[in-house]
Amino acid sequence: MNAAVISTRLLSRELADQITSSGMNLVEHDFITKVFTEPQDLSELKLAPHIIITSVAGITAFMKVLNKYALPKERYQIYCLEQETCAEALRQGLRVVGTAGTASRLADVIITHKTVRELTFICSNLRRDELPEKLRAVDRLVHEWKGYAVTAKPIKIPFTGFVLFYSLSGVDSFLLLNPSDNLEAVCIGETTAGHARQRGFKKVHTSDKSTIESVVNKVIEIFSNQ
């Protein structure tokens, strides 16, 4: 199968149409799956008043807990990543008190709030170490709860062109069955772009914003200028 671009997650019909209307062929596949977990009891979570969430899936996991135990949203203050994650937190009526573009920078923001000493990090089974380690290094107590599990769901797609990545785990899943040769990676933010470079992609582009729409806009822009 030959294609100009593959998206490593399914796109909305509107975004898919934007790609095909630009003259590119599109293949879509969810290269990762997410399974949400529910705690057996509330004490298992150790929910602090301050919550760290670095993905839209993390927001979903947190909302499942709030709804299951009828906990008031107003009790919690949220630190989260900018743009998509923050937008989803606000859409759910959560109180966002700090944002940043990367997990490491989010830790820096939290550190400046010196009265915040205890936090709960809602993450996946594939969470990175830098955020909790940075906080623990300055004596912040960080509880962790794996609110969802991410598993790879790769397929082999032989083609040359562009591949769109929205997470580090998407990069890893794609490379289980596909080489990076002759591909240009378009990534949702610098963290994912840096991971793509580390995994062997030679041509890596970063979206202007950490949103799916921005990734699509970036690949259309690159294709149009070639």
Side-chain angles (χ1 to χ4, degrees):
M1 180 187 298
N2 294 319
V5 58
I6 180 169
S7 175
T8 55
R9 62 167 291 171
L10 299 181
L11 298 172
S12 69
R13 197 70 266 142
E14 179 183 357
L15 292 177
D17 288 345
Q18 288 181 28
I19 291 176
T20 55
S21 296
S22 73
M24 291 184 286
N25 295 320
L26 173 65
V27 174
E28 303 171 76
H29 175 69
D30 280 328
F31 274 78
I32 60 173
T33 59
K34 297 173 184 176
V35 178
F36 293 94
T37 58
E38 290 193 4
Q40 296 301 311
D41 58 75
L42 193 57
S43 63
E44 179 185 327
L45 271 70
K46 297 182 181 177
L47 281 182
H50 297 90
I51 307 294
I52 307 169
I53 304 177
T54 56
S55 68
V56 172
I59 298 290
T60 301
F62 183 54
M63 293 305 302
K64 286 179 178 291
V65 170
L66 294 186
N67 293 332
K68 179 176 181 177
Y69 293 101
L71 300 174
K73 300 175 184 178
E74 299 77 16
R75 182 182 298 175
Y76 303 98
Q77 298 182 39
I78 309 299
Y79 290 95
C80 64
L81 293 189
E82 296 171 350
Q83 297 172 1
E84 267 202 323
T85 305
C86 181
E88 179 61 16
L90 295 174
R91 191 179 76 81
Q92 294 292 346
L94 298 174
R95 181 183 175 191
V96 176
V97 295
T99 65
T102 67
S104 180
R105 291 173 188 160
L106 185 60
D108 293 335
V109 170
I110 295 169
I111 290 169
T112 65
H113 296 180
K114 299 187 183 299
T115 60
V116 177
R117 310 302 303 178
E118 182 179 2
L119 307 102
T120 297
F121 181 23
I122 296 179
C123 56
S124 78
N125 57 315
L126 300 180
R127 75 109 172 101
R128 302 181 74 185
D129 295 332
E130 56 186 345
L131 186 151
E133 287 186 353
K134 207 169 193 179
L135 293 174
R136 287 169 180 148
V138 292
D139 297 323
R140 300 300 199 273
L141 177 60
V142 181
H143 307 292
E144 295 187 36
W145 178 59
K146 293 178 174 61
Y148 60 102
V150 176
T151 57
K153 192 177 69 172
I155 60 172
K156 187 171 182 61
I157 304 179
F159 80 107
T160 59
F162 300 99
V163 56
L164 310 184
F165 291 122
Y166 313 93
S167 67
L168 281 66
S169 52
V171 176
D172 293 337
S173 177
F174 180 82
L175 290 175
L176 288 174
L177 294 178
N178 301 282
S180 59
D181 302 342
N182 302 316
L183 294 172
E184 294 187 46
V186 184
C187 302
I188 188 168
E190 188 51 45
T191 300
T192 302
H195 188 64
R197 293 186 189 98
Q198 291 175 357
R199 292 301 315 273
F201 285 91
K202 303 302 182 185
K203 292 185 178 181
V204 180
H205 310 273
T206 306
S207 59
D208 297 326
K209 298 180 180 179
S210 296
T211 64
I212 298 169
E213 290 81 359
S214 188
V215 174
V216 170
N217 290 338
K218 178 60 69 173
V219 74
I220 292 172
E221 173 190 327
I222 296 165
F223 178 72
S224 299
N225 290 332
Q226 288 184 346

